[in-house]
Amino acid sequence: MELDPGDQQLALELDRAHVFHSWSAQGALKPMVIAGGAGSTVWDFEGNEYLDFSSQLVNTNIGHQHPAVVDAIKAQADLLTTVAPAHANLTRGKAAQRILEKAGSSFSKVFFTNGGADANENAIRMARLYTGRDKVLSQYRSYHGNTGAAVVATGDWRRVPNEYARGHAHFFGPFAYRSEFWSSSVEEECSRALHHLERIIQAEGPAGIAAILIETVPGTAGVLVPPPGYLSGVRALADKYGIVLIFDEVMAGFGRTGGWFAFQSLASQEGRLVEPDLITFAKGVNSGYVPAGGVIISPSIAEVFDDAVFPGGLTYSGHPLAMAAIVGTIDAMESEGIVANAERIGRELLAPGLAELAAKYEIIGEVRGLGVFWALDLVSDRSTHAPVPASVIGELKAALLARGLLPFFADNRLHVVPPCVVTDAEVQRALAIYDEAFASLGSTV
């Protein structure tokens, strides 16, 4: 398809005249115009190409314009474009079946939503109805979405101007690099974080707590891979006090960590598979080709609603085009070994490559991650871990874009989050670009 450079300016003019953007003061915005994409690359109307190491919002796990997913959407559009959720639909049933096959035999049903926020919203509702309790505990370092309960479950700054939902309390999860517990080792950080969580449970009143909601690997908060034993400890506390455990896998699921789900990726470090009662998902389940999310439900919770009405629903729950995209995505990821590719890329290329950058540049305080889910914690002082100022982030972002890489930044962190389909050559090119961009800041060791 031939691109018209004039469309770039028109797109920007129309956007600035008519589009209201999320999480932004509108006046100073000048968004990048993307004309198209394929695999791990996007381009603008002037033909400038960028490696997409943001995966947009860490969701295009299968890459841009994967033909199997596009074809699945087209075939469904020819057959049936929409259907009410009250009706049975073959594609919806196949999507649920595919998801449950990947989640494992401990789960029996899927409730489909429009995205990750309302997945968390409905998981919270299920937990409250199942337990007859009200309160939800979640971490300060977290993001769970922008709907009523989901944004209040969120721990970061976006919660504060949106606290209209009731029954929420927060706790600190483990993060040894910026410990809240004065720990001197990863093991100490884990044990103290679990002690802290139990004290929060006791102080908040366990008889009133419906759920503990945690991102299995907190994403926007910094790709905080939990230390060995933490998930097992949270599971044990949930069981001890009769609390529903919800794993938010919206960002971490469907290949991002090198497994179908992050809790599966972490099984080896835990010494066992630690399973929640509910799993929320979205993003990578179909790379956002058509908006979709959902809640994966264990039998004990699902069976409660065999006779009791579940008081929730969405007009587009299980929308056929979204379901076709899910089936196409999961089938392609399986047949093409895309999840295994993400694991190998992380282990063989990103882990050592990012470690080399950290050894070279003092600005990189810590590297953490797995699969294609990594973060560089950028600091102005390695001894104090003081975060770099926003001006440095702006300079680094400009340097990366100028060299043909689309980055993802959150606070003082550069997140390295390419699609799961990324190739060895693309990773090596990206590492070279990161190297050049950091060198341009003049922060070599």
Side-chain angles (χ1 to χ4, degrees), residues 340-354 369-374 422 427:
N341 182 67
E343 188 279 329
R344 182 190 62 80
I345 287 287
R347 174 171 41 84
E348 295 184 359
L349 298 176
L350 288 175
L354 296 174
L370 70 169
V372 286
F373 203 26
W374 294 81
V422 71
V427 172

Side-chain angles (χ1 to χ4, degrees), residues 320-366:
L321 298 183
M323 299 300 100
I326 289 174
V327 174
T329 295
I330 292 177
D331 287 354
M333 292 182 90
E334 188 164 40
S335 65
E336 297 174 22
I338 291 171
V339 176
N341 182 67
E343 188 279 329
R344 182 190 62 80
I345 287 287
R347 174 171 41 84
E348 295 184 359
L349 298 176
L350 288 175
L354 296 174
E356 286 180 17
L357 290 175
K360 189 174 181 181
Y361 297 102
E362 287 186 352
I363 192 174
I364 303 173
E366 184 178 62

Side-chain angles (χ1 to χ4, degrees), residues 170-399:
H170 294 81
F171 61 96
F172 283 105
F175 183 17
Y177 187 67
R178 300 185 182 280
S179 177
E180 303 293 335
F181 309 113
W182 296 277
S183 65
S184 57
S185 68
V186 172
E187 293 78 14
E188 212 170 59
E189 180 75 6
C190 182
S191 64
R192 292 181 180 185
L194 289 170
H195 172 76
H196 164 71
L197 174 56
E198 183 162 26
R199 291 293 294 125
I200 294 294
I201 292 170
Q202 293 166 347
E204 291 292 334
I209 299 172
I212 299 171
L213 168 62
I214 61 173
E215 291 177 90
T216 320
V217 177
T220 306
V223 191
L224 307 178
V225 181
Y230 185 71
L231 293 184
S232 299
V234 176
R235 176 73 269 180
L237 289 173
D239 292 340
K240 179 178 179 179
Y241 293 102
I243 299 169
V244 170
L245 179 57
I246 306 169
F247 282 175
D248 178 341
E249 296 253 358
V250 170
M251 187 175 285
F254 294 96
R256 180 58 49 188
T257 62
W260 285 100
F261 291 94
F263 72 87
Q264 296 165 345
S265 297
L266 297 171
S268 59
Q269 76 164 36
E270 291 291 319
R272 69 184 184 94
L273 183 65
V274 180
E275 296 179 308
D277 303 298
L278 298 170
I279 305 167
T280 59
F281 68 90
K283 290 186 184 285
V285 72
N286 67 359
S287 289
Y289 282 33
V290 182
V295 185
I296 305 171
I297 313 167
S298 59
S300 61
I301 295 178
E303 289 165 5
V304 167
F305 300 102
D306 284 348
D307 299 311
V309 172
F310 176 67
L314 300 145
T315 299
Y316 303 119
S317 174
H319 191 280
L321 298 183
M323 299 300 100
I326 289 174
V327 174
T329 295
I330 292 177
D331 287 354
M333 292 182 90
E334 188 164 40
S335 65
E336 297 174 22
I338 291 171
V339 176
N341 182 67
E343 188 279 329
R344 182 190 62 80
I345 287 287
R347 174 171 41 84
E348 295 184 359
L349 298 176
L350 288 175
L354 296 174
E356 286 180 17
L357 290 175
K360 189 174 181 181
Y361 297 102
E362 287 186 352
I363 192 174
I364 303 173
E366 184 178 62
V367 175
R368 49 184 181 265
L370 70 169
V372 286
F373 203 26
W374 294 81
L376 307 183
D377 206 310
L378 305 182
V379 297
S380 56
D381 187 325
R382 275 192 172 180
S383 63
T384 65
H385 302 178
V388 296
S391 59
V392 173
I393 296 298
E395 187 179 349
L396 182 59
K397 180 178 181 180

